[in-house]
Amino acid sequence: MLIDNLLEHAAQKCQQAGGRFTDKRRNILKNLINAKSPLSAYDLTELYNQNNDKKVQPMSVYRILDFFIEMKLVHKLPTLNKYVVCSHLSCQHSHQDQYFVVCKSCGDAQEISMNSKLTQELNESVSSVGFQLVDAQFELFGLCKNCSNQS
Amino acid sequence: MLIDNLLEHAAQKCQQAGGRFTDKRRNILKNLINAKSPLSAYDLTELYNQNNDKKVQPMSVYRILDFFIEMKLVHKLPTLNKYVVCSHLSCQHSHQDQYFVVCKSCGDAQEISMNSKLTQELNESVSSVGFQLVDAQFELFGLCKNCSNQS
DNA sequence: AGTAGATATGATACAACATAACATAAATTA
DNA sequence: TAATTTATGTTATGTTGTATCATATCTACT
Ligand SMILES: [Zn+2]
Ligand SMILES: [Zn+2]
Ligand SMILES: [Zn+2]
Ligand SMILES: [Zn+2]
């Protein structure tokens, strides 16, 4: 999908939720969409500042990322301290539980929707030690198709 | 199990692997065993220094934690930047894949052995996007029995 | 249009987590 | 006892993230 369409989708989702889609936010989201791998807040700060006269502080980038996460346009990968755009940026389906698999070799990250069997397995497994599941986002590590062919 | 027995087990495992179980290592492992929740490297530094005349630097604590992780006596919870002792410290069974569930309210963490159905589900799910699973440790968040009764 | 309230960003400082690099000490082995 | 390996000391620095208070910009209402 063309990037301008993605950005238009994002803008709409923000406005529907009563948030603004400012130039800074658009610019930073665009950089994250174009990224081939997850980026840190500091990566995004640097990227922004390379391409703009007006500079931005990491603090602002963190706030903008928090906003996008709230809007479910961006996900954080907590073990990497990096951020990716939601792979459902362009589609309408309300966002469900997801997890990520990250390639140990090239760093590429794939968002995977949790299927019901997996959800059930996790819930049962967690219940077995007396816990009640609240938040099931997580990251696994592996090799992507490209990288496992090369090795 | 009594703490001295646990430490004795740990010492043996270290020696079998050609590592030393020094006083610092013993002391730090003991603090982590006694902790009710996961601790950070800086927490452990502070704990050590409160109880000992000879002080230790965070750098050393990181090294000691790395050593214990190598020995599979300690696990790191990457999303929390904290560490816990392996719940199988005292038993002999060779360590298999595990994950953790952390109580959002009290911070308590439970180690859970991955059962075969769950492993299979994860493998299938990951394969479906062309990835090959390498490392399946992760953390989930929920409420423990105590905390969900209180609320 | 003017104002009040909400939302967004600027700016500075600092906290928390982690590693690099080089030196010394202590234990093991030859 | 000398050489080698393992463990720790020491200092500096890198990376990630938050707190706080000020200013700007947008929105909605009179
Ligand atoms: Zn998503
Ligand atoms: Zn790859
Ligand atoms: Zn374990
Ligand atoms: Zn709890």
Side-chain angles (χ1 to χ4, degrees):
Chain A
M1 196 169 194
L2 290 175
I3 187 152
D4 285 333
N5 290 79
L6 291 177
L7 291 171
E8 212 31 62
H9 264 273
Q12 279 174 27
K13 284 193 187 174
C14 291
Q15 278 151 18
Q16 278 166 22
R20 298 177 202 153
F21 198 67
T22 64
D23 285 352
K24 275 202 174 54
R25 285 175 176 175
R26 160 176 257 108
N27 195 314
I28 283 172
L29 188 62
K30 189 173 174 180
N31 285 337
L32 199 52
I33 290 172
N34 285 327
K36 290 189 299 297
S37 301
L39 297 182
S40 75
Y42 281 80
D43 293 337
L44 286 165
T45 304
E46 203 181 336
L47 250 183
Y48 183 95
N49 289 341
Q50 282 170 0
N51 304 318
N52 291 275
D53 284 346
K54 265 270 193 181
K55 303 306 180 192
V56 73
Q57 246 58 42
M59 179 77 259
S60 293
V61 175
Y62 276 107
R63 284 188 287 219
I64 288 172
L65 287 169
D66 286 345
F67 169 76
F68 283 141
I69 288 169
E70 189 104 6
M71 299 290 117
K72 310 220 183 200
L73 299 173
V74 166
H75 301 296
K76 176 170 188 178
L77 305 181
T79 77
L80 299 178
N81 300 313
K82 290 180 192 295
Y83 303 81
V84 290
V85 292
C86 176
S87 63
H88 304 110
L89 213 56
S90 61
C91 64
Q92 287 297 356
H93 92 289
S94 76
H95 204 285
Q96 61 200 40
D97 277 347
Q98 86 289 130
Y99 72 98
F100 292 86
V101 56
V102 178
C103 178
K104 279 210 166 190
S105 171
C106 67
D108 189 34
Q110 270 275 314
E111 181 170 349
I112 303 181
S113 288
M114 205 90 78
N115 69 50
S116 55
K117 263 207 295 190
L118 183 49
T119 304
Q120 194 189 334
E121 279 299 328
L122 286 175
N123 269 293
E124 282 177 15
S125 176
V126 159
S127 311
S128 74
V129 294
F131 274 69
Q132 190 182 332
L133 202 54
V134 169
D135 177 6
Q137 187 187 311
F138 58 91
E139 296 137 76
L140 304 179
F141 292 87
L143 286 175
C144 75
K145 203 172 279 181
N146 279 345
C147 292
S148 60
N149 285 343
Q150 282 168 22
S151 66
Chain B
M1 196 169 195
L2 289 175
I3 187 151
D4 284 334
N5 291 79
L6 292 177
L7 290 171
E8 212 31 62
H9 264 273
Q12 279 175 27
K13 284 194 186 175
C14 291
Q15 278 151 19
Q16 278 166 22
R20 300 177 201 153
F21 198 65
T22 65
D23 286 351
K24 276 202 174 54
R25 285 175 176 176
R26 160 178 257 106
N27 195 314
I28 283 172
L29 188 62
K30 187 173 174 179
N31 285 337
L32 199 53
I33 291 172
N34 285 328
K36 290 188 299 297
S37 300
L39 298 182
S40 75
Y42 281 78
D43 293 338
L44 285 165
T45 303
E46 205 180 334
L47 251 181
Y48 183 94
N49 289 341
Q50 281 169 2
N51 304 318
N52 291 275
D53 283 345
K54 264 273 194 177
K55 303 307 179 192
V56 74
Q57 246 58 44
M59 179 75 260
S60 292
V61 174
Y62 277 107
R63 284 188 288 219
I64 288 171
L65 287 169
D66 286 345
F67 169 76
F68 284 140
I69 288 168
E70 189 104 6
M71 298 290 118
K72 309 223 183 198
L73 298 174
V74 166
H75 300 298
K76 176 170 187 179
L77 305 181
T79 79
L80 300 178
N81 300 314
K82 291 180 192 297
Y83 303 81
V84 290
V85 291
C86 176
S87 64
H88 305 110
L89 211 56
S90 62
C91 64
Q92 286 297 356
H93 91 289
S94 77
H95 203 285
Q96 62 199 41
D97 277 347
Q98 86 289 132
Y99 71 98
F100 291 88
V101 56
V102 178
C103 177
K104 278 209 164 190
S105 172
C106 69
D108 189 33
Q110 270 274 314
E111 181 170 350
I112 302 181
S113 287
M114 205 91 76
N115 68 49
S116 56
K117 263 207 293 190
L118 184 49
T119 304
Q120 194 189 333
E121 280 299 327
L122 287 174
N123 269 294
E124 283 177 15
S125 176
V126 160
S127 311
S128 74
V129 296
F131 273 70
Q132 190 182 334
L133 201 54
V134 170
D135 176 7
Q137 186 187 310
F138 58 90
E139 296 138 75
L140 304 179
F141 292 86
L143 287 175
C144 75
K145 204 174 275 180
N146 280 345
C147 292
S148 61
N149 285 343
Q150 283 169 19
S151 67

